[in-house]
Amino acid sequence: MNRIPRFAEYVSKGWINIKGKPELLKAKGAAENYDGHLGIGITNALFCSERAMKLAEVHGIGLVALKNTTHWMRGGTYAWKIAEAGYIGISWINTESCMPMWGSDVKSVGNNPFCIAIPREDGQIVVDMAMSQYAYGKLGVYRLAGKKLPYPGGFDKDGNLTDDPGAIEDSMRILPTGYWKGSSLAIALDLAAAAISGGLCGSDMDDNNNGSCTGCSQIFIAIDPYMFSTKEDVQTMLNRRVSIADSAHPIDLKHPVKCPGESTIARRRKSMSEGVQVDDTIWEQVCSIAEGKSLSGHIE
Amino acid sequence: MNRIPRFAEYVSKGWINIKGKPELLKAKGAAENYDGHLGIGITNALFCSERAMKLAEVHGIGLVALKNTTHWMRGGTYAWKIAEAGYIGISWINTESCMPMWGSDVKSVGNNPFCIAIPREDGQIVVDMAMSQYAYGKLGVYRLAGKKLPYPGGFDKDGNLTDDPGAIEDSMRILPTGYWKGSSLAIALDLAAAAISGGLCGSDMDDNNNGSCTGCSQIFIAIDPYMFSTKEDVQTMLNRRVSIADSAHPIDLKHPVKCPGESTIARRRKSMSEGVQVDDTIWEQVCSIAEGKSLSGHIE
């Protein structure tokens, strides 16, 4: 919801082509390559997730490489969809530069989210992990609340590691996840996405300077978890492992350990029954766009 | 070299079966499943890397899931080999628990290294990334040198984030890479490796309690980077992106930014011309084993 105003802005600027659809360019065995024609990032990515599963159905594993697409919004959506359909889902995206490479003090690599989801019938296990420790949006939330970050999230202008969100917003030196590790994985994911899809790499997007993720490259992989074992054996193992992880002795007895995705499922259940909380300002903007004021004149 | 004494010990205990070879259990399309029969981790993993490439040659992408194998030693080796042969390599492993899940104060998940390598002809780009910020071995190196860690590496017994290696060795609360992120990715990689291979998950290895990685599950994926684009276009993009990353403004002008793998290539070149530096104590142990003293009586 928060991103609808920006989506409308991008449409008005021609950075998103709402008539663009994925076009099959080439295929080989278990893999397909699509041009997203700058279409709507969400529908392009959903289409490619479906195709990856169709390929996995036949070949055990399926890969779809999508180039020239736009922001997929919540990255975890696609691996989650793949897991809901009974496959292991892996996906990632490259973005324009938004954080410093390790050893640099200027933004030089994307935060290139990597997602993996496991089809556990008692609750999907889903990781949706940007390569920066905190998003800029999160820094703003803490700063406005007058709070420090829970853990250091970047360097200040003098190069000191800090948990002061404002100091990091000033320096623009957000921290890669795990210091050098997140920086390394970010550049590797960028290269892999661009190489396989034949699309733009992060620095190409920097050159184009068309906002967030415009023209980006995305990879979707689906793997059949039941091709070598029975579904019952796999689900039994998943439940056994998750149950043991969740019962690991907690630091705080009031906060039991949770595997990734479990809390989201609980929040989602609440949202589905009670509705979704929307920021008032965002809601006004969205209503304004819907009523044809503001930017919506540029949208059909 | 440092791990040869432990390897010999594991052979003597029957945890590694030096006659074990990978056996094909099942195959589907672009994917194969092997039982490693507790064979030598390195040769099992090299075999499976080769098979993944053979599958990728035909299907564009190839996946090999190996169960019941042993420690693969340097994890990056296999993705690197795959990249040297001209494919994008992705591999990971599950291990016994060695770090706390996020929110726990006891070891409850493996550090499950994830590796990805890009076949850049002017120098492979390789990430070999454990899900703990520092290995226990690294903590010991810093403690013995009387040094603090460069960045916080865990919690002390009182639950405070610390850069004191000894305090972390005492608490055994090493930090996941990127706090909650490395913990989440670690459990997802564990589940995926065990599910696809039909092998042990991390907690199964904890139950067996047979040392490091004995009976573990591993995944090897190879992707043909030239199936949708010409080799020239891909290599040109890789060189463009790496060159831009490496020329990002450095924090310290004496230390230019490097993409992952580039420093390793330089070190390897030095090793190939000057030989490899080996710790004296390790060398004595290895010679002793080779001479049939010590543990080698148990090896053929």
Side-chain angles (χ1 to χ4, degrees):
Chain A
M1 185 64 76
N2 292 358
R3 285 171 171 169
I4 286 180
R6 188 175 72 184
F7 176 85
E9 179 202 338
Y10 281 20
V11 172
S12 75
K13 285 180 168 168
W15 294 351
I16 294 172
N17 168 20
I18 57 174
K19 291 185 173 169
K21 302 274 182 222
E23 177 195 3
L24 181 64
L25 298 177
K26 282 190 179 177
K28 178 178 178 180
E32 290 181 348
N33 185 206
Y34 288 86
D35 183 333
H37 290 295
L38 293 179
I40 298 169
I42 292 177
T43 50
N44 274 357
L46 285 173
F47 174 88
C48 291
S49 305
E50 291 287 342
R51 285 303 311 158
M53 288 189 276
K54 287 286 179 199
L55 291 165
E57 200 180 318
V58 178
H59 305 281
I61 183 170
L63 176 147
V64 174
L66 172 64
K67 73 174 187 181
N68 199 28
T69 188
T70 61
H71 204 303
W72 65 6
M73 304 299 163
R74 193 185 68 155
T77 298
Y78 314 98
W80 196 299
K81 281 275 177 197
I82 291 171
E84 277 182 340
Y87 293 87
I88 291 171
I90 297 175
S91 65
W92 70 91
I93 179 177
N94 60 11
T95 77
E96 71 288 351
S97 294
C98 60
M99 72 176 182
M101 292 275 293
W102 189 248
S104 173
D105 51 13
V106 296
K107 59 182 185 175
S108 35
V109 71
N111 66 354
N112 305 346
F114 178 84
C115 308
I116 176 168
I118 313 294
R120 177 170 161 264
E121 298 201 327
D122 288 357
Q124 321 305 340
I125 302 300
V126 184
V127 178
D128 173 0
M129 176 179 154
M131 294 301 138
S132 56
Q133 189 65 53
Y134 296 101
Y136 275 105
K138 188 70 89 177
L139 298 183
V141 169
Y142 276 90
R143 176 176 45 75
L144 290 170
K147 286 184 181 171
K148 297 281 183 188
L149 299 169
Y151 298 95
F155 297 97
D156 63 20
K157 282 188 168 169
D158 300 322
N160 299 311
L161 203 59
T162 180
D163 57 8
D164 174 355
I168 302 167
E169 288 175 311
D170 289 345
S171 70
M172 300 190 69
R173 291 177 59 180
I174 56 171
L175 196 64
T177 295
Y179 310 96
W180 54 92
K181 295 192 173 194
S183 169
S184 294
L185 189 50
I187 190 74
L189 292 172
D190 180 4
L191 295 169
I196 304 169
S197 71
L200 303 182
C201 61
S203 57
D204 296 338
M205 279 184 269
D206 293 342
D207 291 344
N208 291 347
N209 197 24
N210 288 344
S212 181
C213 297
T214 303
C216 67
S217 307
Q218 294 169 358
I219 302 293
F220 303 87
I221 295 173
I223 302 169
D224 177 359
Y226 311 127
M227 60 184 161
F228 302 137
S229 306
T230 67
K231 185 171 178 175
E232 190 189 345
D233 283 350
V234 169
Q235 291 296 324
T236 301
M237 181 280 293
L238 295 177
N239 285 334
R240 179 172 73 245
R241 182 68 188 97
V242 169
S243 157
I244 290 172
D246 287 356
S247 60
H249 184 271
I251 295 169
D252 176 348
L253 292 174
K254 290 196 297 288
H255 293 103
V257 171
K258 288 282 173 206
C259 285
E262 292 188 284
S263 302
T264 309
I265 288 170
R267 280 198 304 274
R268 190 176 180 83
R269 199 171 288 134
K270 190 159 179 278
S271 295
M272 295 301 279
S273 68
E274 299 175 15
V276 177
Q277 294 291 324
V278 180
D279 179 272
D280 286 340
T281 311
I282 293 286
W283 184 244
E284 279 174 30
Q285 289 177 2
V286 169
C287 290
S288 168
I289 290 166
E291 286 162 15
K293 300 172 192 166
S294 179
L295 289 160
S296 64
H298 300 270
I299 309 173
E300 291 183 311
Chain B
M1 184 64 77
N2 292 359
R3 285 170 171 169
I4 287 180
R6 190 175 71 184
F7 176 85
E9 179 202 337
Y10 281 20
V11 173
S12 76
K13 285 179 168 168
W15 294 351
I16 294 173
N17 166 20
I18 56 174
K19 291 185 173 168
K21 302 274 182 224
E23 177 195 3
L24 182 65
L25 297 177
K26 281 191 180 177
K28 177 179 177 178
E32 290 181 348
N33 184 207
Y34 289 86
D35 183 332
H37 290 295
L38 294 179
I40 298 170
I42 292 177
T43 50
N44 274 357
L46 285 172
F47 174 89
C48 291
S49 305
E50 290 287 341
R51 285 304 311 158
M53 289 190 273
K54 287 285 178 198
L55 291 165
E57 200 180 317
V58 177
H59 305 282
I61 183 171
L63 176 147
V64 174
L66 173 63
K67 75 175 187 180
N68 199 27
T69 188
T70 61
H71 204 302
W72 65 6
M73 305 298 163
R74 195 184 66 156
T77 298
Y78 314 99
W80 195 300
K81 282 275 176 195
I82 291 170
E84 277 182 340
Y87 293 88
I88 291 171
I90 297 175
S91 65
W92 71 89
I93 178 176
N94 61 11
T95 76
E96 70 288 352
S97 294
C98 60
M99 71 178 183
M101 291 277 293
W102 188 247
S104 174
D105 51 13
V106 295
K107 60 183 185 174
S108 35
V109 71
N111 67 353
N112 305 346
F114 179 83
C115 308
I116 176 168
I118 313 294
R120 176 170 161 263
E121 298 202 326
D122 289 357
Q124 320 305 340
I125 302 300
V126 183
V127 178
D128 174 0
M129 177 179 153
M131 294 302 139
S132 56
Q133 189 65 54
Y134 296 102
Y136 275 104
K138 188 70 92 180
L139 299 183
V141 169
Y142 275 91
R143 176 177 43 77
L144 290 171
K147 288 182 179 171
K148 297 281 184 188
L149 298 169
Y151 298 95
F155 297 98
D156 63 20
K157 282 188 167 168
D158 300 322
N160 299 309
L161 203 57
T162 180
D163 56 8
D164 175 352
I168 303 165
E169 289 175 310
D170 289 345
S171 71
M172 299 191 70
R173 290 178 60 181
I174 56 172
L175 196 65
T177 295
Y179 310 96
W180 55 93
K181 295 193 173 193
S183 169
S184 295
L185 190 49
I187 190 74
L189 292 172
D190 181 3
L191 294 169
I196 305 169
S197 71
L200 302 183
C201 62
S203 58
D204 295 338
M205 279 184 270
D206 294 342
D207 291 344
N208 291 347
N209 196 26
N210 289 342
S212 180
C213 296
T214 303
C216 67
S217 306
Q218 295 169 357
I219 302 293
F220 303 87
I221 294 173
I223 302 169
D224 177 359
Y226 311 128
M227 59 184 161
F228 302 138
S229 306
T230 67
K231 185 171 177 174
E232 190 187 347
D233 283 350
V234 170
Q235 291 296 324
T236 300
M237 181 280 292
L238 295 177
N239 285 334
R240 178 171 74 246
R241 182 69 188 98
V242 170
S243 156
I244 290 172
D246 286 356
S247 61
H249 185 271
I251 296 169
D252 176 348
L253 292 174
K254 289 194 298 287
H255 292 103
V257 171
K258 289 281 171 204
C259 285
E262 293 189 285
S263 302
T264 309
I265 288 170
R267 280 199 304 273
R268 189 175 180 84
R269 200 171 287 135
K270 191 159 178 279
S271 297
M272 294 301 278
S273 68
E274 298 175 15
V276 176
Q277 294 290 326
V278 179
D279 179 272
D280 286 341
T281 311
I282 294 286
W283 184 244
E284 277 173 34
Q285 289 177 1
V286 170
C287 291
S288 167
I289 292 167
E291 287 163 14
K293 298 172 194 167
S294 180
L295 290 161
S296 63
H298 300 271
I299 309 173
E300 293 182 309

